[in-house]
Structures are given as C-alpha cells and as structure tokens.
Amino acid sequence: MRMECCLLTVCALCAALLFVLFYWLVPAVQRSSLCTLIWHATITERLRDTLTRSTRPQRMLKAVQKNATKGNPQSVISAIDYFCKNSEWAMNVGDEKGSILDSVVTEVNPSTVLELGTYCGYSTVRIARLLSPGTKLITLEFNPAYAAVARQIIAYAGLQDKVTLVEGSSGEWIPQIKERFGITTFDFIFLDHWKDQYLPDIKLFEECGLLRKGSVLLADNVICPGAPDYLEYVRNSPRYESRYYPAHLEYTKLEDGLEKSVFLG
C-alpha cells in the first residue's frame, strides 16, 4: 500500500511538472529573446545531441540529403527551412530575413562578396544562387565542425565552384584577404557571426581598405541577440548611410532585424 502511494505521488509530481513546463515555462521562454536562444541553442540542442549521438548540423545535413534535390539550391533552402520550423530550431538567417537578404544581394549585384559566419551554409547557398558567373564569394567560419557540414550542404546545392570557404577568425583573416585572394574591395559583406565582433570587424575593413564608395554591409541579428555598439557606429558615422529592416528572429515571433549600411567613402 505504501509503495502504491509513493508511485501515485511520483506520478502526480511528474504530471504537475509537465503541466508547468508546457503551460508556463515554454510560453515564457518563447516571449523572452534571451531565454529563447538559451532554450533552443543550448538546452534542447544538447539534449538532442545526447539522445541521437549526433549534432544539430549533422541532423540538418541528413534532412537536406533526404528531402532536397541534389544540384537544386532552392530545394536545399526549403529543406532547411522545413527542418528548422518542424524539427529543430537553428541559427540560420531564416526564410523571412532570408528574403530581405535576397533582395539586397539582387539590388547590389556584387562581383565580390564576403560572408562572416557560415554556420551550415544556409545563407551561403541563398547568396551564391543569386550571383552572376565569375563572382567571388568568400565565406568565413570559425568552427571546423560547422565548416565540414557547410561544405557538404554547399556541394549538395551544386554551388561549390562559386564559394571559397575559409576556416578561422575574422580578426585573423580580414587583414590577409587582399594578399591571399587578390581582392581589392568588397561590393557586399554579410555579417552573421559573433555579434560583439561586428564593430571591430567593420573598423578592420576600413583600416585594410576593403571598402569602396558604395560597398554594402548587411548585418543580421542586430536586435536579437543584438549588436548595439555596431548600430550606434553605423547610424552615427558620416561614412555610412544606414537603413533598418524590421523582421523576426529566425523561425520565431521575436523581434529582430537586419541593418543595411552603405559605405560613403
């Protein structure tokens, strides 16, 4: 009898815990940008990694290989969006902000492109599919495991000949770009890596002479998780003309946006 009472008590406590989790904690997490990022990028990711003995990028790659058509960039983008909406959240630029990225790339029609923060190659594929033949796209990723998956996703989309993926930090590579790749200036730069590096990196672009009059920089996640020092700089510097594109954090309803800054010389 005592054993049955203990089991009933445990079951009741578990039911109460589940009630709190699904009716209070999860909605609260979804309302907070910081909590949402911690929940998706740390808690649930580590739990799934442990249960599946794989990583989120590896699972994303499998979803692409299973659901996308090889050599079709749009199907790769759609497969990743579906995975992130229905299976696991991931820190791609996402479909909503991705459409803004598409429109800016199309408007600029760049010949030289730099992306800071490849992750799994989602935004790389979005950008590369819109580029004219002969355009140089360099994408930089600090994490070797992410870079390994990104190479496979870019190749699956059939865009490997358009993309040069470099592993390392932006602070290390930006000063070497002219010498290593023969690029004098960039027409378009997409910033989507560590947010506290946006400001140091834009100043490094200036110091290294990698910006020309009319160069366009597009920065993601300027609201969530945020890059306030970068926004203050580009919005108040006479060297830039900036415009904010309001949107939402990828695959959520949380406020976020992109900042487009044109270098005036």
Side-chain angles (χ1 to χ4, degrees):
M1 188 67 176
R2 182 175 296 177
M3 180 67 72
E4 292 177 356
C5 288
C6 288
L7 287 173
L8 287 171
T9 301
V10 170
C11 289
L13 288 172
C14 289
L17 181 60
L18 288 172
F19 179 86
V20 171
L21 179 65
F22 287 103
Y23 290 93
W24 178 78
L25 180 58
V26 171
V29 165
Q30 292 173 341
R31 287 192 298 268
S32 166
S33 57
L34 178 60
C35 288
T36 297
L37 290 172
I38 292 173
W39 177 264
H40 288 303
T42 304
I43 298 173
T44 60
E45 183 172 8
R46 289 182 180 177
L47 180 60
R48 286 178 184 267
D49 289 355
T50 301
L51 292 174
T52 63
R53 295 184 180 180
S54 65
T55 66
R56 179 172 286 166
Q58 290 169 344
R59 295 189 291 275
M60 189 186 302
L61 173 60
K62 286 184 178 179
V64 167
Q65 293 169 336
K66 179 180 178 181
N67 300 307
T69 302
K70 197 168 186 179
N72 185 327
Q74 188 57 53
S75 74
V76 170
I77 292 167
S78 298
I80 294 175
D81 284 334
Y82 185 87
F83 173 82
C84 294
K85 288 179 180 179
N86 298 281
S87 297
E88 296 184 51
W89 180 91
M91 54 184 179
N92 310 304
V93 67
D95 51 351
E96 181 189 7
K97 289 185 293 179
S99 295
I100 299 171
L101 171 62
D102 290 353
S103 67
V104 174
V105 172
T106 302
E107 174 192 350
V108 176
N109 189 25
S111 297
T112 51
V113 179
L114 176 64
E115 176 186 40
L116 299 182
T118 316
Y119 186 44
C120 296
Y122 174 89
S123 53
T124 314
V125 170
R126 288 201 82 113
I127 295 169
R129 83 193 203 285
L130 299 173
L131 299 179
S132 303
T135 300
K136 291 185 178 180
L137 167 56
I138 299 170
T139 182
L140 181 63
E141 176 52 53
F142 180 77
N143 187 314
Y146 294 166
V149 169
R151 282 192 179 91
Q152 295 179 75
I153 288 179
I154 292 165
Y156 200 90
L159 296 169
Q160 66 275 15
D161 293 337
K162 280 189 171 184
V163 178
T164 300
L165 197 161
V166 180
E167 294 180 34
S169 68
S170 53
E172 169 194 0
W173 273 102
I174 290 173
Q176 301 183 53
I177 284 175
K178 285 189 175 183
E179 181 181 349
R180 295 291 291 271
F181 300 103
I183 291 176
T184 53
T185 58
F186 284 105
D187 299 327
F188 177 71
I189 298 173
F190 183 51
L191 296 92
D192 194 18
H193 58 323
W194 296 106
K195 313 314 164 191
D196 59 0
Q197 290 302 304
Y198 284 12
L199 181 56
D201 284 347
I202 193 174
K203 291 183 176 180
L204 199 52
F205 289 135
E206 295 171 0
E207 291 171 14
C208 295
L210 288 166
L211 303 178
R212 60 161 179 81
K213 185 176 181 180
S215 290
V216 174
L217 300 97
L218 188 67
D220 188 21
N221 301 125
V222 294
I223 302 300
C224 181
D229 56 347
Y230 175 83
L231 288 182
E232 182 179 3
Y233 181 74
V234 294
R235 290 175 178 179
N236 292 288
S237 170
R239 306 187 75 180
Y240 294 92
E241 182 179 278
S242 276
R243 175 186 174 185
Y244 174 65
Y245 291 82
H248 299 90
L249 178 68
E250 42 268 33
Y251 314 113
T252 75
K253 295 180 180 179
L254 293 169
E255 180 188 355
D256 194 17
L258 298 152
E259 187 81 4
K260 173 189 172 187
S261 303
V262 181
F263 186 65
L264 303 178

